[in-house]
Amino acid sequence: FWTQPTSIRMGEEYGISNLDVYPNPSRDIFNVSFTSEEAQDITVKVINVLGEEIIRDERQQFEGNYNKTIDLTNYKKGIYLLKVKTLSNTTQFKIILI
């Protein structure tokens, strides 16, 4: 049995801190939150195991607290990737739909 950390602290060089995805695993709803330390273009997306993008949220020159609820009620159980992309970095986070 393996448990993935639910919170990630990214260095300030990435301009994002306190990335948190919860609850994980979940039956349908995930919450994503982080803080953008500087104004930057940010893309948050969810990708299935086939590499298909199923959810995308783009923010231009976003700064401050980001909070989003992602509803995967209509998707199959399994593993998905949450990607948070900034100009300088892309972070992947595994989310599990049970």
Side-chain angles (χ1 to χ4, degrees):
F1 185 77
W2 178 76
T3 303
Q4 179 170 338
T6 57
S7 186
I8 298 172
R9 174 79 180 169
M10 296 170 63
E12 289 184 16
E13 66 271 17
Y14 300 124
I16 289 192
S17 61
N18 302 322
L19 174 59
D20 200 8
V21 181
Y22 59 94
N24 192 16
S26 175
R27 295 192 187 284
D28 51 10
I29 304 288
F30 293 90
N31 298 295
V32 179
S33 66
F34 59 82
T35 301
S36 176
E37 304 290 342
E38 58 192 52
Q40 59 187 327
D41 295 346
I42 293 175
T43 303
V44 176
K45 52 188 170 178
V46 176
I47 299 169
N48 66 18
V49 294
L50 299 175
E52 300 168 329
E53 185 178 292
I54 59 173
I55 293 175
R56 180 183 196 93
D57 183 22
E58 291 183 314
R59 305 286 174 104
Q60 303 296 316
Q61 294 301 298
F62 181 80
E63 183 176 8
N65 294 325
Y66 177 94
N67 294 294
K68 181 169 181 71
T69 299
I70 296 175
D71 186 354
L72 297 179
T73 302
N74 298 321
Y75 294 94
K76 294 181 180 180
K77 295 174 182 8
I79 297 173
Y80 294 81
L81 287 179
L82 172 76
K83 289 189 176 186
V84 179
K85 182 180 180 187
T86 65
L87 181 61
S88 61
N89 188 47
T90 299
T91 299
Q92 295 186 103
F93 197 84
K94 184 175 15 174
I95 54 178
I96 303 169
L97 189 60
I98 56 173

